[in-house]
Amino acid sequence: MTKKIALFPGSFDPITNAHIDIITRAASLFDEIHIAIGLNSAKTPLFTVEQRLAMLKKIFATSESVKVASYTGLTISYCQQIQANYILRGLRNATDFDFENAIAQNNLQLAPTIETVFFLSSPGYGHISSTVVRDILKNKGSISHLVPKEVLAYI
Ligand code: ADP
């Protein structure tokens, strides 16, 4: 049987408890989940790609079905490279939906066999974003309730 492989693409700058929640919930649906940092020259990250990869590797060190990587170029091209037939994305609100809807439809036209699967935020996670975490950090606030403990080592 073909393995069900899902790609969870994102910036993960840094990874938050909401990302972890989505990965945990998706784990029972797929044989493998590849968390991949999309390298996007339009965004200036707070954490380097090396730091973000190191955080992800530490968090998922004992999860055999979770792989960690970075990629450049189209997300669907990377899916084809790793033989992923699913893209995971999270939805917090209608703004996320509008943005993700357009991307998912374009991806479907480019690669009709790759389905995007959406997870709504779990109760209590909808207010978390990497942007908010970075803003709190820049203003010297505490983020320990928003991110896994492995992220705290990089502050
Ligand atoms: P990107 O820069 O591609 O948006 P992020 O690292 O910010 O990457 O997010 C990766 C994915 O996780 C996106 O699909 C985003 O919508 C989702 N996500 C982030 N935070 C939440 C949250 N609180 N609830 C649900 N999904 C979320």
Side-chain angles (χ1 to χ4, degrees), residues 65-110:
S65 59
V66 178
K67 321 275 178 202
V68 169
S70 62
Y71 71 101
T72 52
L74 286 180
T75 300
I76 50 153
S77 303
Y78 187 64
C79 282
Q80 285 155 350
Q81 197 183 314
I82 62 168
Q83 298 185 318
N85 286 102
Y86 305 92
I87 296 172
L88 296 183
R89 295 291 287 175
L91 296 176
R92 281 165 287 215
N93 48 41
T95 308
D96 276 356
F97 174 79
D98 285 345
F99 179 75
E100 297 293 340
N101 183 22
I103 294 179
Q105 298 211 31
N106 278 290
N107 281 340
L108 258 187
Q109 275 190 324
L110 292 169

Side-chain angles (χ1 to χ4, degrees), residues 22-151:
I22 290 175
I23 296 159
T24 308
R25 286 158 62 204
S28 63
L29 300 180
F30 301 100
D31 298 308
E32 280 179 20
I33 297 177
H34 292 237
I35 309 170
I37 300 171
L39 301 178
N40 177 351
S41 52
K43 285 187 180 176
T44 309
L46 181 63
F47 295 98
T48 66
V49 66
E50 291 78 16
Q51 287 174 322
R52 284 177 279 158
L53 280 171
M55 291 172 195
L56 293 172
K57 283 185 181 154
K58 215 178 227 177
I59 294 165
F60 295 101
T62 58
S63 312
E64 271 181 29
S65 59
V66 178
K67 321 275 178 202
V68 169
S70 62
Y71 71 101
T72 52
L74 286 180
T75 300
I76 50 153
S77 303
Y78 187 64
C79 282
Q80 285 155 350
Q81 197 183 314
I82 62 168
Q83 298 185 318
N85 286 102
Y86 305 92
I87 296 172
L88 296 183
R89 295 291 287 175
L91 296 176
R92 281 165 287 215
N93 48 41
T95 308
D96 276 356
F97 174 79
D98 285 345
F99 179 75
E100 297 293 340
N101 183 22
I103 294 179
Q105 298 211 31
N106 278 290
N107 281 340
L108 258 187
Q109 275 190 324
L110 292 169
T113 61
I114 302 175
E115 286 289 349
T116 304
V117 178
F118 295 101
F119 282 76
L120 298 176
S121 309
S122 284
Y125 287 90
H127 66 294
I128 304 178
S129 69
S130 299
T131 306
V132 161
V133 168
R134 292 195 301 275
D135 282 349
I136 294 175
L137 265 183
K138 283 177 193 161
N139 291 292
K140 307 201 185 316
S142 168
I143 58 161
S144 58
H145 56 303
L146 301 173
V147 299
K149 63 179 185 323
E150 290 81 355
V151 170

